[in-house]
Amino acid sequence: QVQLVESGGGLVQAGGSLRLSCAASGRTFGRYAMAWFRQAPGKEREFVAAIPWSGSSTSYADSVKGRFTISRDNAKNIMYLQMNSLKPEDTAVYYCAFNRGSYSYRAGAYDYWGQGTQVTVSS
């Protein structure tokens, strides 16, 4: 089993920044991909960003490109999402996800999920 715990969410004004963290524990041996997804009220969960074990070839949703940056510290088993120039439409619960295979934009590809952290952007 793998446990994922997100932190760093909160309330911020439009144009502001937040940094989310996702700490992985448990059976985290080997190489694994990680990703961020988000879900707004009344909407389906959507892909935000993904990163492979190596940290290269990161992938982003078009809606966050140029504003969000995904990174990871494999020594600490932590993944980050730096969110800049936040917009009200970024308001959602943000989830981190873990996959022992290749990184993917598909939620179904991920084996483990965190409990989510709320991000609210006021206009």
Side-chain angles (χ1 to χ4, degrees):
Q1 288 281 8
V2 172
Q3 293 78 44
L4 303 173
V5 178
E6 302 98 334
S7 61
L11 173 64
V12 64
Q13 288 188 332
S17 298
L18 282 174
R19 189 175 83 154
L20 305 183
S21 299
C22 173
S25 61
R27 299 174 65 83
T28 57
F29 54 84
R31 297 173 178 262
Y32 53 90
M34 298 189 77
W36 290 98
F37 288 77
R38 67 186 182 186
Q39 188 167 18
K43 295 187 177 181
E44 293 187 353
R45 190 168 298 190
E46 66 174 2
F47 170 76
V48 175
I51 186 167
W53 171 261
S54 65
S56 63
S57 303
T58 52
S59 179
Y60 295 93
D62 288 343
S63 59
V64 307
K65 277 181 183 177
R67 300 188 298 121
F68 291 11
T69 302
I70 188 171
S71 61
R72 63 190 293 171
D73 183 336
N74 291 336
K76 297 180 179 179
N77 291 327
I78 298 179
M79 175 180 64
Y80 302 99
L81 185 68
Q82 178 66 43
M83 305 187 294
N84 298 329
S85 303
L86 282 161
K87 304 175 181 180
E89 50 263 44
D90 294 319
T91 295
V93 176
Y94 283 70
Y95 298 90
C96 68
F98 175 108
N99 173 25
R100 293 200 182 277
S102 301
Y103 75 95
S104 171
Y105 64 88
R106 296 184 302 107
Y110 292 86
D111 305 306
Y112 298 99
W113 292 82
Q115 82 289 348
T117 186
Q118 176 71 47
V119 171
T120 302
V121 184
S122 63
S123 57

